[in-house]
Amino acid sequence: MFRRVAPKASKLTTTATTAVIEIAQETKFDLYKDNKVDQAGVPSPITINGLIANTQYDNYSLAYAGQSNKTSLSFKTTVQPVTGISLDKTTLALKTGATATVKPTIAPSDAT
């Protein structure tokens, strides 16, 4: 009986919120998260969306579609840099001793 070994990723790239797994073989794969199928029967490249920036992930694994032998995946998403800060007021006039609140907004909203 022929038994396939677990697949090996040929390239794994990450952004702040996405991981992309590329495998040289032209076949389909099952992606597991916490030992449960997260994506079934998907071709390479396999994309994992909705990740958190600057976070280590060790709970994913990969198998040939329908097979049980898995390869563990370990990766860390990148830092999402701040690209801008804006304030809710463009001008502010105060009398001596008065106070005001200014609300900042960081861009992008998922910056780390």
Side-chain angles (χ1 to χ4, degrees):
M1 177 178 176
F2 176 73
R3 184 174 170 161
R4 280 185 149 168
V5 295
K8 298 211 183 318
S10 49
K11 185 176 180 185
L12 193 149
T13 53
T14 61
T15 66
T17 59
T18 304
V20 178
I21 306 149
E22 295 180 49
I23 299 134
Q25 297 116 337
E26 291 185 22
T27 189
K28 298 205 175 185
F29 303 91
D30 293 336
L31 178 71
Y32 290 80
K33 179 181 179 186
D34 298 322
N35 288 319
K36 295 178 185 166
V37 174
D38 188 60
Q39 296 180 40
V42 292
S44 174
I46 301 160
T47 302
I48 306 170
N49 291 309
L51 302 174
I52 299 169
N54 198 29
T55 302
Q56 178 68 39
Y57 288 90
D58 297 315
N59 58 334
Y60 284 92
S61 57
L62 190 64
Y64 289 107
Q67 300 292 313
S68 60
N69 290 342
K70 297 180 217 167
T71 297
S72 295
L73 299 173
S74 180
F75 57 90
K76 184 174 183 176
T77 51
T78 59
V79 171
Q80 178 68 26
V82 173
T83 58
I85 300 173
S86 59
L87 302 174
D88 66 338
K89 295 179 174 84
T90 56
T91 61
L92 184 62
L94 295 173
K95 294 186 179 190
T96 303
T99 62
T101 301
V102 179
K103 181 183 173 192
T105 301
I106 306 294
S109 60
D110 62 346
T112 52

